[in-house]
Amino acid sequence: MKVVLLIALLTVSGCDGRRVVGQTGQNVTLPCNYDIKTKGAVHVCWGRGEIPKSKCNNQLLSTDGHKVETRASSRYQLLGRLDEGDVSLTILILTEEDAGRYGCRAEIPGWFSDEKHHVDLTVERAPTAWAPSEPQTSSERPAAAQTAADQLTTESLLTSSSNSSSSTDEGQEGSMVAVILVLVLFLLVVLLTAAGLFIMAKRWKQLKLPPQQQQRHQVQISSTSSTLQLHQRASVVENVYQIDGADNGGGDYELCP
């Protein structure tokens, strides 16, 4: 009778064991579930080491089935669906000290009806991602990759040289145009200045003539005009006499003074 009772107790409150492996610096989840549909939301606790007769040793976290009540560190989280009975423990940023045995206890109402789950956590060092197994020299690269890299380098050099030469030509053309415009403007300024100086010198020379020369110049102009008038009068008189002689039949005539 005692053996049957002991077997029944072990069957009801037995512990199962699982093994989980994690890496340092990563997150790991320790599984634990209970049947919430038939047993309802119950109190659950997580602890380090073996599960005692009641509660949890070195308690890390506890919940009333709906929310977390106590927590030893923010590294311990319940990220599963509590309303579905998922009370799996997630440990953030693993360290080597986190390795060991963990216990999950769901306090089911009744005599010897608690569900207990043991999880053994093994923590391994994460491999160094940046260290290559064997360094590869340039001579070990495939010939096709080497040829493609050489072609890309040649094309980039040609493109950069053509761009630089075109930009240099454009700069030289722009500077030549600017020099030509400056020269044209300089010549225009010189010509206008020379013309203005010539006109001013001529006017200044006329203003600087002595009064006697100015009078002589005026007398010469007046004598010239009078001579032209006398010459015109003599021509008119001569033409009149010729016309009269022709009308008189070419006879002799004498001019009276």
Side-chain angles (χ1 to χ4, degrees), residues 61-71 76-78 82:
L61 183 146
S62 66
T63 174
D64 62 356
H66 302 284
K67 64 182 183 300
V68 176
E69 293 182 327
T70 61
R71 194 195 315 268
Y76 305 118
Q77 300 287 335
L78 294 182
L82 295 180

Side-chain angles (χ1 to χ4, degrees), residues 29-244:
T29 299
L30 310 181
C32 183
N33 296 272
Y34 69 94
D35 189 2
I36 193 173
K37 293 182 179 179
T38 58
K39 300 174 181 178
V42 298
H43 185 275
V44 179
C45 65
W46 274 94
R48 295 288 299 265
E50 297 290 339
I51 301 175
K53 295 181 179 180
S54 63
K55 304 299 179 180
C56 295
N57 287 332
N58 301 321
Q59 183 170 297
L60 304 176
L61 183 146
S62 66
T63 174
D64 62 356
H66 302 284
K67 64 182 183 300
V68 176
E69 293 182 327
T70 61
R71 194 195 315 268
S73 172
S74 59
R75 295 176 57 236
Y76 305 118
Q77 300 287 335
L78 294 182
L79 303 180
R81 295 289 302 270
L82 295 180
D83 56 349
E84 294 180 359
D86 185 1
V87 288
S88 300
L89 177 66
T90 299
I91 304 175
L92 306 178
I93 312 174
L94 276 179
T95 63
E96 293 182 353
E97 290 75 14
D98 293 325
R101 170 162 286 196
Y102 291 79
C104 172
R105 185 188 197 105
E107 298 178 358
I108 307 300
W111 288 92
F112 305 105
S113 57
D114 291 352
E115 292 186 9
K116 297 179 287 185
H117 307 277
H118 282 122
V119 181
D120 293 322
L121 174 62
T122 302
V123 179
E124 299 177 351
R125 289 187 179 182
T128 305
W130 58 267
S133 58
E134 292 182 0
Q136 188 177 20
T137 60
S138 59
S139 60
E140 296 175 350
R141 291 185 297 176
Q146 181 70 28
T147 304
D150 294 338
Q151 290 178 355
L152 289 174
T153 304
T154 305
E155 291 177 358
S156 62
L157 290 174
L158 291 175
T159 304
S160 61
S161 61
S162 61
N163 292 334
S164 61
S165 61
S166 61
S167 61
T168 304
D169 294 337
E170 291 176 358
Q172 291 179 354
E173 291 177 0
S175 61
M176 289 295 293
V177 171
V179 170
I180 292 171
L181 290 176
V182 170
L183 290 176
V184 171
L185 292 175
F186 180 76
L187 291 175
L188 289 175
V189 171
V190 170
L191 291 175
L192 292 175
T193 304
L197 292 174
F198 178 77
I199 294 172
M200 291 176 63
K202 189 173 181 180
R203 290 183 179 179
W204 182 260
K205 186 176 181 181
Q206 292 178 357
L207 293 174
K208 284 295 183 177
L209 287 175
Q212 295 179 356
Q213 291 184 2
Q214 292 181 1
Q215 291 178 0
R216 290 178 184 176
H217 185 67
Q218 293 177 359
V219 169
Q220 289 178 359
I221 293 174
S222 61
S223 62
T224 303
S225 60
S226 60
T227 303
L228 290 174
Q229 290 178 0
L230 290 174
H231 180 69
Q232 289 177 357
R233 288 180 183 177
S235 298
V236 172
V237 171
E238 185 178 358
N239 291 331
V240 171
Y241 285 149
Q242 289 178 359
I243 292 171
D244 290 340

